[in-house]
């Protein structure tokens, strides 16, 4: 098992300008005042929940005559999901930045929270939200072939045809798979935050050979979870009891358990497919 120490959250601010000069001036002003902005939003919105801003980045985009300036604030938490707190922190930063524009006579035609750029309910290949976790198992090839009842090459062929199908149909090599059933079931059982678990259902499945062993693993790039009550929602007694029975005491352990059950489900699922036992009644 490998689990990130922190759960990440992100919230993006977007500004629209009529000229590139105004956009450049605005970026310079924001950068100059970040040492003032970050401590304020951290103190007011993040610190009470163990969160902090660990990065701020900028991106230029354009549509016809609109010059876009994106400014994304990245936060991290140990046991809180942190999404709501980060949203409020970015909102406070927006108000401070708007005031700076007025003080410096910079004309910003539109100042908004640009959620589409920060991966809100849309898993990003840049993995800007949630906690990374992976689970991997190592199995002697000879022992596995006895269980599989056929050569390992057949198993690897199934993994590849599944990978190709997913990549071509979705546009990138991440998908719900069995995880789309296992992960929601785990969230529903634990009743933790967030209640909507779509953003955490994405995974990558892989298999390869190292020496005499088969390596099979799953990566969950953006598990979002908070196991303690926060402004985003309370963790009810039933959830606390479910976590206690499962032996889960932290968000990091929640992510590890989630990856472990997903690994077991995906490996059994793949094995049964290659054995031609799925949906055949054999």
């Amino acid at each position: 098992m490998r689990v990130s120490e922190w759960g990440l959250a992100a919230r993006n601010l977007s500004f629209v300008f009529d000229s590139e000069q105004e956009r450049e001036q605005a970026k310079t002003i924001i950068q100059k005042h970040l040492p003032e902005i970050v401590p304020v939003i951290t103190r007011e919105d993040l610190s009470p929940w163990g969160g902090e801003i660990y990065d701020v980045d900028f991106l230029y985009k354009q549509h016809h005559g609109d010059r876009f300036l994106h400014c994304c604030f990245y936060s991290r938490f140990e046991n809180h999901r942190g999404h709501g707190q980060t949203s409020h922190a970015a909102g406070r930063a927006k108000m401070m930045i708007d005031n700076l524009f007025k003080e410096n006579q910079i004309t910003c035609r539109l100042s908004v929270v640009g959620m589409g750029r920060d991966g809100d309910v849309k898993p990003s290949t840049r993995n800007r939200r949630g906690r990374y976790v992976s689970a991997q198992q190592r199995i002697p090839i000879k022992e596995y072939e006895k269980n599989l009842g056929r050569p390992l090459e057949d198993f690897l062929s199934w993994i590849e045809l599944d990978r190709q199908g997913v990549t071509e149909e979705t546009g990138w090599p991440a998908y719900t798979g069995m995880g789309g059933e296992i992960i929601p079931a785990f969230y529903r059982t634990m009743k933790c935050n967030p209640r909507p678990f779509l953003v955490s259902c994405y995974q990558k499945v892989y298999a390869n050979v190292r020496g005499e062993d088969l390596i099979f693993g799953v990566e969950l790039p953006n598990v979002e979870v908070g196991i303690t009550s926060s402004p985003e929602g309370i963790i009810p007694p039933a959830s606390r009891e479910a976590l206690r029975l499962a032996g889960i005491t932290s968000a990091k352990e929640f992510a590890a358990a989630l990856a472990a059950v997903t690994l077991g489900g995906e490996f059994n699922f793949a094995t049964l497919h290659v054995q031609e036992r799925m949906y055949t009644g054999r």
Side-chain angles (χ1 to χ4, degrees), residues 13-188:
L13 301 180
S14 300
F15 308 96
V16 182
F17 301 92
D18 289 327
S19 73
E20 295 177 19
Q21 292 79 8
E22 289 173 329
R23 180 173 63 182
E24 189 65 30
Q25 291 172 359
K27 178 184 175 183
T28 301
I29 288 294
I30 297 173
Q31 288 177 318
K32 178 181 178 181
H33 289 274
L34 278 178
E36 304 163 21
I37 295 171
V38 171
V40 171
I41 65 176
T42 300
R43 181 182 67 248
E44 298 296 328
D45 300 295
L46 304 177
S47 290
W49 314 104
E52 63 181 2
I53 296 294
Y54 71 92
D55 194 18
V56 180
D57 70 12
F58 296 87
L59 179 69
Y60 284 0
K61 289 292 180 178
Q62 184 166 343
H63 176 68
H64 198 58
D66 292 341
R67 279 78 171 181
F68 302 147
L69 171 62
H70 296 290
C71 175
C72 196
F73 289 81
Y74 301 92
S75 61
R76 56 190 179 192
F77 298 78
E78 185 176 359
N79 282 313
H80 290 284
R81 180 190 178 206
H83 178 66
Q85 287 86 354
T86 303
S87 296
H88 288 295
R92 190 182 301 275
K94 173 192 169 341
M95 300 301 291
M96 296 176 70
I97 291 170
D98 289 345
N99 288 333
L100 288 170
F101 288 167
K102 292 178 182 178
E103 292 172 6
N104 290 272
Q105 297 182 331
I106 295 175
T107 302
C108 176
R109 185 154 53 80
L110 182 65
S111 170
V112 294
V113 177
M115 298 169 63
R117 183 60 65 177
D118 57 37
D120 193 9
V121 197
K122 296 175 288 296
S124 167
T125 54
R126 293 208 280 170
N127 189 27
R128 296 194 275 182
R129 287 180 56 176
R131 186 185 301 261
Y132 172 89
V133 57
S134 71
Q136 185 184 100
Q137 61 182 356
R138 191 172 189 131
I139 309 167
I141 293 174
K142 291 183 179 180
E143 292 301 316
Y144 180 58
E145 285 182 329
K146 292 178 184 178
N147 177 62
L148 189 65
R150 54 199 314 160
L152 181 67
E153 285 75 10
D154 292 349
F155 180 83
L156 296 177
S157 293
W158 189 88
I159 293 293
E160 175 58 21
L161 69 87
D162 190 51
R163 185 199 66 79
Q164 282 188 13
V166 169
T167 302
E168 292 171 6
E169 293 297 327
T170 66
W172 65 302
Y175 58 103
T176 54
M178 273 297 287
E181 300 177 25
I182 296 170
I183 295 171
F186 197 82
Y187 271 87
R188 284 195 295 268

Side-chain angles (χ1 to χ4, degrees), residues 134-136 159 175 204-208 210 215-219:
S134 71
Q136 185 184 100
I159 293 293
Y175 58 103
K204 299 177 183 179
V205 177
Y206 63 90
N208 55 60
R210 295 181 191 172
I215 305 298
F216 183 89
V218 297
E219 292 181 297

Side-chain angles (χ1 to χ4, degrees), residues 123 144 252 272:
Y144 180 58
K252 186 175 180 180
L272 291 172

